[in-house]
Amino acid sequence: MAKVLVVDDAAFMRMMVKNILGANGHEIVGEAENGVQGLEKYAQLKPDLVTMDIVMPELDGIEATKEIIRSHPDARIVMCTAVGQQAKVLEAMKAGAKGYIIKPFQAPKVLEEIKKVLGS
Amino acid sequence: MSTEIDLSQYLNAFLEETKEHLQAFTQALIDLEDADEERAVEVLNAAFRAAHTVKGMSASMDFMNMEHLCHSMEDLMDELRSGSRGVTPELIDMLLECSTKLEELTICIEDNGNDDIDVSEVLSELDKVKGNGEGETAEDKPEKKEKADKDEGKSKQDSEKKVESEEGKGKTYEINISVNKSCDFKGVRSFLALKTLAEIGKIVKTVPSQEDIENEKFGFKFKVILVTEISDDEIKDALASVADLEKVEISGEAVEVEAEVAEQEKEQKKKDLKSEVAKSKDKGKEAAVKSVRINIDKLDSVSNLVGELVINKSRLIQIGREHEIEELGSTMAVVERTISDLQYEVTQMRMIPVEHVFNRFPKLVRDLYRAQGKEVDFILKGKEIELDRTVLDEIVDPIVHLLRNAVDHGIELPEGREKAGKNRKGRIALAAKRETGHVTISVEDDGKGMDPDILREKAVSKGLLLTDEVAKLSDEDAFKLIFMPGFSTAEKTTAVSGRGVGMEVVKTRVEALGGFVDIQSEMGNGTKMVLKLPLTTAIIQALLIDVCNKTYAIPLSNVREIISVLKNDIKTIQGATVITLRGSILPLVMVQSLFGLFGNDNNGGHNHKDKFVVVVVERSEGRIGLVVDTALEQQEIVVKPPDEHMQGATGLGGFTILGDGCVVPILDIASLTLA
């Protein structure tokens, strides 16, 4: 199905996203543990979709999203977020992210979101 | 499609990562205490990130107590970050207490698979500190304000464009959108819907206003008036890319309006984005770290396999030699090189910086000295030094014990120190140092030092030694009394560090790893405890010795030198066989009598020789000499732990298999008894 880049500073979270998506036919083509790495990997791998954590060292998910969208306006970025981060998520959407998934991840919701965003 | 998430598979990753983040968190808080303003922002952010990440992970694992606690900590830290509250030692204490609680939770999860520990007390304390602690999370506050400002500007823009759009071309639609009631962040979701619509047409109006929608000031429905050239079906298709929209109703009025603004608007948007992004460009870039996590058990089995290769390699070389097969010899030379490279790499993989365990100590030491009203500067050195993971795990408790001793018994109270003409603040240094073939870890304090006379008295009063026995001990040897079983100078246990393991256990643990403990102490000036540790325990350099035609291995890390001794130089002092080596007494151990071996002459082995080979080895109690027949060669050996038959046999610390298939016992230098 889709080629996905997972950006999150917690290996645990990356594993979770990977397993949910991997179990449902998506291919995880890369992982990054901060925004800077995320940008590099995006440029290098050109994935169909990025899952992007918000709070990360080096470059946070919002700045990374802005940067990716700047060079690739059609990038499909889904923010990974926690409860209580509405403002941040909204900022990310304004920056060009296409969707968001909320921790703790529920597989059906994650998959639905990914499907919607990929369909756009 | 499988949509069920089995959480158990994540448990290890969760625990490991949580521990790392907790350490980072604790370290940040301790740094915060002495940080200047600029640094404070940095470490607070680091602490916040750690708590935030743990929150997210614990929520995912359904550890709700942990999640609540992290969430509450996050709120407090946000007040600190925003500057609405100053950093005080009390607040740091409070947060450190939280981190202790989190550690407890982690342990509970590790042991029981759940986080059923009561956190209500900590939570209510946090709430008290936070004041009201109610309402929206602090995290959103500053941003919301900022955003409101931005939105104001934006709505102005919007209204200007509305005027333009009157001239746009296309149909006008009224779209009623219902958001799913179970949707999280309905404001954001609705924003996505609006954004999608803005991309395909011109939004003339929304009810309620766009800001209200973004700020969730609506029920679950909102209305959009859109001008676009595309059909209602196409609008529906576009909105299908937004999740959580329950219902989309479109009624088209088919009013023709000019609408060429859309394109312009898009251009404008892109420009805005560009300028915003430009700011963030100059942030530091770091090379990507490529790493995978491997379970230590897997690494162990790889080490073992490499160990087998090493054994078989020597066997093959020997066969080549015996049968004089030249080709095999040259091939083996290449294989040998590859294997030793492989061995090096595997050993390297097992190495981790001591930082991993050192980082938890500042908090421990701080807790200890604060509880006793003492003042201490705690210094960490050589955090980057690497040690085998197994070795590192084993020495955590010993280091804790040494640090505890340094605070409890070493450092004096501030008043006492002043009287003694010292700085009120004591100094404890924990340092790791790489030396050839081994690593030393030392704990040094500038406290009152150890009093050999008190130690002597104590040994007598505990019935461990007789008065005339202790009188003969040099001061240095008197220090070593603390290693004796039953000799614990700690009368009480402190709440902070829990029960001590005793110096005896420190010694046993370190020696089990093939290392030893050294004590240097000076009355009034402080004590230095040094743990000498091998780099790794799996494959070691060993000296092979021969005793009565039997081969034994001695870890090379213990060997100081090999000397030749004349029979006449051997003396017996109070029943102990000794020699004088460069002016000091060296006790001897007859290896043959240890294992009840007899030489080929069937006549009592060494007794008829004029010259002996003595291997001088070092251990915590000092140096001793092992009397052997021959020192054979130095070789790399793979340590196999003692099997059940060997356990309890003093003097043996495992065995190894040599190239010729011979099973060779490894001498455990620490447990050898003096003759």
Side-chain angles (χ1 to χ4, degrees), chain B residues 544-559:
Chain B
L544 299 183
I545 54 159
D546 178 275
V547 180
C548 302
N549 293 328
K550 295 240 182 328
T551 309
Y552 292 87
I554 303 174
L556 206 62
S557 56
N558 290 109
V559 177

Side-chain angles (χ1 to χ4, degrees), chain B residues 170-187:
Chain B
K171 285 184 199 169
T172 305
Y173 294 95
E174 182 184 312
I175 307 167
N176 284 295
I177 300 175
S178 312
V179 180
N180 207 321
K181 291 196 176 59
S182 67
C183 161
D184 300 289
F185 304 172
K186 61 180 177 180

Side-chain angles (χ1 to χ4, degrees), chain B residues 521-540:
Chain B
S521 186
E522 202 181 319
M523 290 269 286
N525 283 332
T527 303
K528 182 177 187 181
M529 298 275 184
V530 184
L531 312 182
K532 244 184 182 183
L533 300 160
L535 290 175
T536 178
T537 52
I539 298 171
I540 60 166

Side-chain angles (χ1 to χ4, degrees), chain A residues 10-13 19 24 55 63 66-67 70 84-85 88 93-94 97 100 102 104 107 109 113 116 120, chain B residues 1-3 9-10 17 56-57 59-60 139-140 143 151 182 184-185 189 191 195 214 240-241 276-277 280:
Chain A
F12 168 82
M13 280 297 170
N19 286 3
N24 292 279
V55 183
E63 295 302 324
K66 286 178 185 167
E67 185 80 7
R70 188 183 66 87
Q85 284 191 307
K88 289 261 183 200
M93 297 306 129
K94 288 184 175 168
Y100 57 92
I102 296 179
K109 280 203 165 189
E113 187 80 32
K116 290 274 186 185
S120 68
Chain B
M1 294 231 299
S2 66
T3 52
Q9 58 171 317
Y10 299 105
E17 210 156 355
M57 295 196 298
S60 304
E139 189 185 328
D140 291 347
E143 281 143 16
D151 287 349
S182 67
D184 300 289
F185 304 172
R189 197 54 88 189
F191 168 81
K195 198 174 97 175
E214 285 174 18
S241 73
E276 260 182 89
V277 163
S280 65

Side-chain angles (χ1 to χ4, degrees), chain A residues 5-24:
Chain A
L5 169 66
V6 181
V7 186
D8 199 310
D9 57 334
F12 168 82
M13 280 297 170
R14 293 200 299 271
M15 193 164 140
M16 209 134 203
V17 175
K18 263 164 66 184
N19 286 3
I20 294 174
L21 297 186
N24 292 279

